[in-house]
Amino acid sequence: MEEKRLSPNDILKNYLEEHSLRKTPERFAILDEIYSNSGHFNIETLYESMKSKNYRVSLATLYNNIDILIDAGLLVKHRFEKGNTYEKTMDSMKHDHFICTGCGRIYEVPLSGNMDVNAEVSKRYGFDVSSYFLTMYGVCNICKELKNKK
Ligand SMILES: [Zn+2]
Ligand SMILES: [Zn+2]
């Protein structure tokens, strides 16, 4: 029998209840904003996009709630060179990252989506994996072309 998957909203609701945290509309608005967009973001871009929709939320509130969403397993934090980048863990295509050491662009390259790394790591080491991303470093096509033109 297939288990019914919880929505991001339900997961947050459960998490807040378990941790005796208040279910403020603000928290769900932040989750909603994150899950209605795709790709990577940082706190500043999230702040700007919420502000542009006339949703007044302070940076401090965002930081605090981002931590909650990470702890609840709804977000993952990548420590790329240019500071922290965040990404939702549900509803997004499984992908790996290629970071260009020339221009700093981050490319999403679906590669290891079929490998059950989570199960393997949990079997071998007993760790509980909530999400994983492979990060590769190298030079992208754009940089290679620029270099060839010189
Ligand atoms: Zn590049
Ligand atoms: Zn990504």
Side-chain angles (χ1 to χ4, degrees), residues 40 78 87 95-97 108 133:
H40 304 143
H78 298 303
E87 182 163 40
H95 62 268
D96 301 304
H97 294 125
E108 300 201 328
F133 291 84

Side-chain angles (χ1 to χ4, degrees), residues 117-133:
V117 173
N118 297 15
E120 188 59 28
V121 169
S122 113
K123 200 173 88 189
R124 250 195 248 180
Y125 305 99
F127 298 159
D128 290 339
V129 183
S130 52
S131 63
Y132 85 93
F133 291 84

